[in-house]
């Protein structure tokens, strides 16, 4: 693993100040006497990230034994319906948002040291002496974000779109801490795939461009062997790149840097990080065979693409490579760097993609040895420029009649689908998809948009239980980006 102290120092200098706001619940019974087995739930009315402070007292005889309590934090009420002991998924139980505590002296103030992401806080008395009852006198939370609400302008679309934009902005806001976290509940890291989407939304909303710059320097300042950008970074106790390698996430450093330059005009940063960006192309080429095709792999997680464990990712990886190679060429052009070799490679690899993945009979792209058809393959090869605009539009329309195709399962992949629809001139269809998919979460009562959403099974979890699902996830903030960039309020049609 490699470290560039100069770049990490630049990132440190860009660390933002956090904005604090004190919030209290909008419902939940304060002052209610609680005996063993009783509980009370407080609703804060919206999604927040922060630190809880709870004042307790007792009623009855002098407390003659500690009060043993459980405090649970939930982004959605369904999390409170699950029992911790019944969760046996593969994500650590350490992410479950709960504390068991003993209150030895009453009255007292409990200051929760751990930061939580929540709308609801439940307090349950596991046990106490029958001689007294526990009382929650007051509860307040010190919420934190680095997003500046004063710069955010409301989206002036119809009521539905305005609501979706508001939820998307709230999603981004909660994820904006010292970096752009992927999720403030889980797993509170800086992920490259999420950063690309967060940065795009940020340019249209909070305009915290220095935070994007900080994250770019963090990724460039702590890399894997040979300077490969890692999939994610740990932030504490010090910056450290994760040993997780993903073909697509390393490449996404390139369009993220390009988008930053286009949004800010900060040529100095782009010049300094240019070599890191171009290195990702050189490293990715190690995965490409002599015919210009990305080699498939059976290593779990070699390329993320989407949270669909049945998805073959070879064709998607090819499209992502082409998309990022095109971004590298555009970045080079803006900086006055030579790009002839990359332009030649782009032509060769696009032709290889058409030759290898196109099924002429089905008029679709297929992927892997079993020639799997998936939405992800079509979307990414469209974004990779393998087809003309008209051909891409026709392909995405044909996919709507392919019921056996592997589906998209996350807002992350749906973001890329919207990108593809807009790229082929289907803005109205993209808006319809946005209304349908993100609107589905809103109709389920979402305060922030979720890590994954299956309209047929809203409570689905890839981890084995909703208790560890992330219901505020950075890659889900797409509506605020697309609505503000492509759909001026006066132009929106129902």
């Amino acid at each position: 693993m490699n470290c560039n102290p100069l770049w990490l120092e630049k990132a440190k200098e860009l660390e933002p100040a956090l904005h604090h706001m004190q919030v209290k619940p909008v419902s939940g019974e304060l002052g209610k006497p609680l005996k063993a087995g009783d509980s009370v739930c407080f609703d804060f009315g919206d999604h927040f990230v922060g630190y809880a402070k709870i004042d307790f007292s007792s009623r009855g005889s002098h407390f003659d034994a500690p009060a043993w309590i459980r405090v649970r934090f939930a982004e959605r009420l369904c999390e409170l319906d699950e029992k911790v002991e019944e969760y046996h998924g593969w994500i650590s139980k350490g992410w479950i948002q709960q504390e068991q505590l003993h209150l030895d002296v009453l009255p007292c103030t409990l200051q929760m040291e751990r930061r939580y992401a929540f709308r609801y806080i439940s307090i349950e008395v596991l046990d106490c002496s029958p001689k007294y009852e526990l009382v929650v006198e007051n509860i307040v939370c010190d919420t934190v974000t680095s997003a500046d609400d004063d710069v955010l302008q409301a989206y002036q679309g119809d009521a539905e779109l305005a609501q979706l934009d508001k939820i998307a902005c709230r999603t981004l806001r909660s994820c904006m801490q010292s970096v752009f976290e992927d999720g403030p509940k889980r797993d509170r890291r800086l992920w490259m795939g999420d950063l690309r989407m967060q940065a795009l939304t940020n340019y249209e909303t909070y305009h915290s461009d220095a935070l994007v710059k900080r994250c770019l320097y963090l990724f460039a300042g702590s890399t894997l062997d040979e300077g490969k950008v890692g999939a994610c970074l740990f932030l504490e106790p010090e910056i450290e790149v994760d040993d997780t390698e993903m073909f697509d996430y390393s490449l996404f450093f390139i369009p993220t840097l390009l988008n930053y330059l286009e949004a800010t005009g900060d040529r100095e940063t782009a010049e300094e990080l240019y070599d890191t960006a171009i290195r990702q192309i050189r490293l990715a080429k190690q995965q490409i065979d002599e015919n210009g095709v990305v080699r498939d792999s059976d290593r779990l997680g070699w390329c993320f693409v989407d949270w669909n464990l049945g998805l073959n990712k070879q064709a998607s990886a090819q499209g992502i490579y082409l998309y990022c190679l095109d971004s590298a060429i555009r970045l080079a052009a803006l900086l006055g760097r030579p790009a002839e070799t990359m332009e030649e490679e782009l032509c060769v690899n696009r032709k290889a993609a058409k030759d290898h993945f196109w099924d002429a009979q089905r008029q679709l792209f297929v992927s892997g040895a079993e020639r799997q058809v998936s939405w992800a393959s079509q979307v990414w090869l469209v974004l990779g420029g393998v087809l003309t605009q008209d051909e891409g539009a026709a392909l995405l329309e044909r996919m709507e009649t392919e019921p056996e195709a592997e589906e998209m399962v996350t807002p992350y992949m749906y973001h890329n689908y919207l990108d593809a629809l807009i790229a082929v001139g289907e803005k109205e269809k993209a808006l319809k998809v946005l209304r349908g998919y993100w609107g589905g979460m809103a109709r389920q009562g979402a305060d922030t948009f979720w890590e994954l959403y299956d309209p047929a099974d809203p409570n689905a979890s890839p981890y084995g239980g909703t208790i560890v699902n992330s219901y505020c996830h950075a890659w889900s903030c797409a509506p605020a980006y697309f609505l503000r960039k492509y759909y001026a309020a006066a132009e929106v049609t129902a």
Side-chain angles (χ1 to χ4, degrees), residues 106-176:
L106 294 167
C108 70
T109 295
L110 175 63
Q111 179 69 60
M112 308 291 282
E113 294 185 4
R114 187 168 188 267
R115 195 194 77 188
Y116 284 100
F118 64 94
R119 172 173 171 171
Y120 305 96
I121 298 180
S122 168
I123 300 171
E124 176 186 2
V125 180
L126 297 175
D127 206 359
C128 68
S129 166
K131 297 188 68 175
Y132 74 91
E133 294 170 312
L134 186 69
V135 178
V136 180
E137 296 286 358
N138 192 37
I139 181 169
V140 63
C141 288
D142 178 26
T143 67
V144 290
T145 176
S146 61
D148 184 355
D149 289 329
D150 290 339
V151 306
L152 183 65
Q153 300 295 316
Y155 178 75
Q156 301 297 326
D158 63 41
E160 180 185 35
L161 295 182
Q163 181 195 24
L164 297 182
D165 176 85
K166 181 179 179 181
I167 297 171
C169 288
R170 193 75 179 187
T171 303
L172 182 62
R173 181 188 189 277
S174 290
C175 293
M176 290 175 68

Side-chain angles (χ1 to χ4, degrees), residues 192 224 228-231 245-254 277 280:
M192 190 69 245
L224 299 165
K228 186 173 186 178
V229 170
E245 293 187 42
M246 292 180 180
F247 178 84
D248 47 351
Y249 274 32
S250 296
L251 284 166
F252 282 140
F253 184 86
I254 304 166
Q280 307 316 305

Side-chain angles (χ1 to χ4, degrees), residues 34-40 56 65-72 83-85 98-103 122-130 132 134:
L34 304 171
K35 56 183 182 294
D38 289 344
S39 64
V40 61
F56 292 96
W68 180 26
I69 65 170
R70 174 161 46 211
V71 184
R72 292 194 288 169
K83 295 181 179 179
V84 174
E85 57 271 18
Q98 73 161 26
E99 304 269 6
Q100 288 193 28
L101 303 149
H102 289 80
L103 306 178
S122 168
I123 300 171
E124 176 186 2
V125 180
L126 297 175
D127 206 359
C128 68
S129 166
Y132 74 91
L134 186 69

Side-chain angles (χ1 to χ4, degrees), residues 18-25 44 48-54 111 118 138-145 170 173:
L18 296 179
H19 301 279
H20 293 254
M21 181 174 67
Q22 304 296 307
V23 298
K24 291 188 174 185
F44 283 75
F48 294 101
V49 178
Y51 305 86
K53 184 172 74 172
I54 311 171
Q111 179 69 60
F118 64 94
N138 192 37
I139 181 169
V140 63
C141 288
D142 178 26
T143 67
V144 290
T145 176
R170 193 75 179 187
R173 181 188 189 277

Side-chain angles (χ1 to χ4, degrees), residues 251-259 262 274 277-278 280-281 284 317-335 337-350 380-386 423:
L251 284 166
F252 282 140
F253 184 86
I254 304 166
T256 306
L257 181 59
L258 170 65
N259 297 150
E262 291 173 331
Y274 178 79
I278 299 306
Q280 307 316 305
I281 293 293
Q318 182 87 11
I320 291 167
Y321 176 73
L322 296 171
Y323 176 84
C324 294
L325 182 55
D326 181 67
S327 295
I329 293 168
R330 291 165 55 199
L331 179 62
L334 289 175
L335 297 177
R337 303 292 188 97
E340 291 81 4
T341 300
M342 291 191 292
E343 290 170 350
E344 292 172 3
E345 290 173 359
L346 183 62
C347 290
V348 169
N349 294 132
R350 277 177 173 165
W380 274 115
L381 287 168
V382 166
L383 288 173
V386 176

Side-chain angles (χ1 to χ4, degrees), residues 214-232:
R214 167 173 158 80
C215 294
L216 287 168
Y217 273 110
L218 287 173
F219 271 115
S222 184
T223 59
L224 299 165
D225 294 340
E226 301 183 82
K228 186 173 186 178
V229 170
C232 71

